[in-house]
Amino acid sequence: MITVNGVKRTLEQPLSVTEYLEKNQYVPVQVAIELNDQILARELYGSTILKEGDVMEIVSFMGGGSGRNEEMDRTEDKLILGGCTYTIKDVEGCGGNSVVYHAIYNDNLNKELQHEVLIKELYPYHPRGGIYRDENGNISYISEAEEYMQNCKIRFKQGNEINLRLLQTLPSQISGNVNSYEAYGTYYSVLTVHGGRNLENVLETTDSLSLREAAKIMEKVLDAVEIFHENEMLHLDISPDNIILLPEQAFLIDYNSVWSVSDKQ
């Protein structure tokens, strides 16, 4: 017995992740997989065998169902926001409320050159599948999930506002935000690619950190936290997946988890 998107499933025979996806009519290149609370790299789908007790989340992205609408060419993983066409290259990460894509778009002047960005899509996880991507690629929800979806939209918009306000006063210390949009039934933010490495990835690919290395990382993280505290804000999700490490500093991301001390809600 395994759990897939909150539902218990019985496997009649051992299956790899790829085999499970294909058997259940998913397109492997159009989904992100979280297996036992860890993002599973796409190149491991074929070699990872599902076993008793596994918990798997399947997040469909930019591929939805088999339909098509005038704004999204899902066969090429394209997304149009604010009149700009973005090509989705990969899934950067996914959490309880959002999916983050790595994307590119062409420069308007030097059309042979491209910009790299991250696109954050509000796509909350609902334990009973009440929030889903419909056959046209839009985020939809059942009546039972409507209140939760609306609350998630409020937090997304508030987080975006906090990001923009901090950028006005501390542009060199806050992760960049290019623009945000309402489209396809949900919200999107186009974010700057700063380079650096996600701390979660660093920890997963490093056998061990020396005490000195760990202390240097902690110092950068504390400097990043101080920015929020100085502005009377609390970041409530300081976890490795929300920390971007650069040579001289760290950025805290996921502004949906930032609260103002004066917020009464």
Side-chain angles (χ1 to χ4, degrees):
M1 186 79 69
I2 64 172
T3 303
V4 181
N5 290 356
V7 179
K8 298 290 186 182
R9 303 287 188 189
T10 300
L11 293 180
E12 297 178 356
Q13 62 187 51
L15 294 175
S16 69
V17 171
T18 295
E19 290 170 333
Y20 181 91
L21 293 174
E22 292 176 344
K23 183 177 180 180
N24 289 275
Q25 300 183 325
Y26 289 98
V27 179
V29 297
Q30 293 183 344
V31 300
I33 298 295
E34 183 179 87
L35 185 63
N36 301 324
D37 296 324
Q38 297 292 326
I39 299 297
L40 185 66
R42 187 173 294 124
E43 59 267 23
L44 298 179
Y45 288 6
S47 60
T48 301
I49 304 300
L50 296 170
K51 60 183 184 298
E52 183 74 17
D54 277 346
V55 177
M56 181 166 65
E57 296 296 331
I58 304 173
V59 179
S60 299
F61 68 98
M62 300 308 124
S66 58
R68 178 188 298 269
N69 62 31
E70 63 182 5
E71 295 182 290
M72 188 188 298
D73 180 358
R74 289 177 300 279
T75 61
E76 298 180 359
D77 291 339
K78 294 186 184 298
L79 179 67
I80 297 177
L81 298 171
C84 182
T85 300
Y86 298 90
T87 300
I88 307 301
K89 305 301 291 183
D90 204 352
V91 176
E92 190 76 12
C94 59
N97 284 326
S98 302
V99 182
V100 178
Y101 308 103
H102 179 206
I104 58 174
Y105 66 95
N106 291 332
D107 186 83
N108 282 331
L109 183 61
N110 299 102
K111 297 186 182 300
E112 72 280 8
L113 299 178
Q114 297 171 323
H115 299 267
E116 288 191 50
V117 294
L118 300 176
I119 299 179
K120 181 177 182 180
E121 176 188 55
L122 177 64
Y123 188 1
Y125 167 71
H126 190 273
R128 287 177 291 280
I131 299 174
Y132 59 95
R133 197 183 301 281
D134 67 19
E135 63 180 11
N136 293 315
N138 299 319
I139 301 301
S140 300
Y141 48 85
I142 62 176
S143 57
E144 178 187 347
E146 180 175 5
E147 182 178 359
Y148 178 62
M149 182 66 184
Q150 296 307 318
N151 286 336
C152 288
K153 281 188 170 183
I154 290 171
R155 288 305 307 159
F156 190 100
K157 191 172 182 179
Q158 288 175 340
N160 188 65
E161 179 183 354
I162 288 171
N163 190 183
L164 293 174
R165 291 190 181 281
L166 287 174
L167 272 173
Q168 288 179 343
T169 56
L170 300 163
S172 66
Q173 298 171 283
I174 297 296
S175 57
N177 186 322
V178 178
N179 214 334
S180 296
Y181 306 92
E182 182 173 8
Y184 310 115
T186 190
Y187 291 162
Y188 295 86
S189 283
V190 180
L191 308 172
T192 305
V193 174
H194 294 281
R197 296 182 67 190
N198 180 289
L199 178 55
E200 183 175 52
N201 178 259
V202 171
L203 296 175
E204 289 176 350
T205 57
T206 303
D207 291 334
S208 63
L209 294 173
S210 69
L211 181 60
R212 184 179 296 275
E213 290 172 327
K216 286 182 177 179
I217 291 174
M218 182 60 70
E219 184 177 17
K220 292 179 182 178
V221 172
L222 289 174
D223 287 342
V225 172
E226 185 178 15
I227 295 169
F228 291 90
H229 292 180
E230 287 176 346
N231 287 271
E232 298 187 331
M233 297 176 183
L234 299 175
H235 196 299
L236 303 182
D237 191 8
I238 303 175
S239 55
D241 59 314
N242 285 331
I243 297 170
I244 302 298
L245 295 176
L246 299 172
E248 302 299 328
Q249 66 185 116
F251 285 136
L252 282 175
I253 58 176
D254 189 6
Y255 291 85
N256 297 10
S257 301
V258 177
W259 288 78
S260 171
V261 173
S262 60
D263 194 342
K264 302 300 182 183
Q265 296 183 341

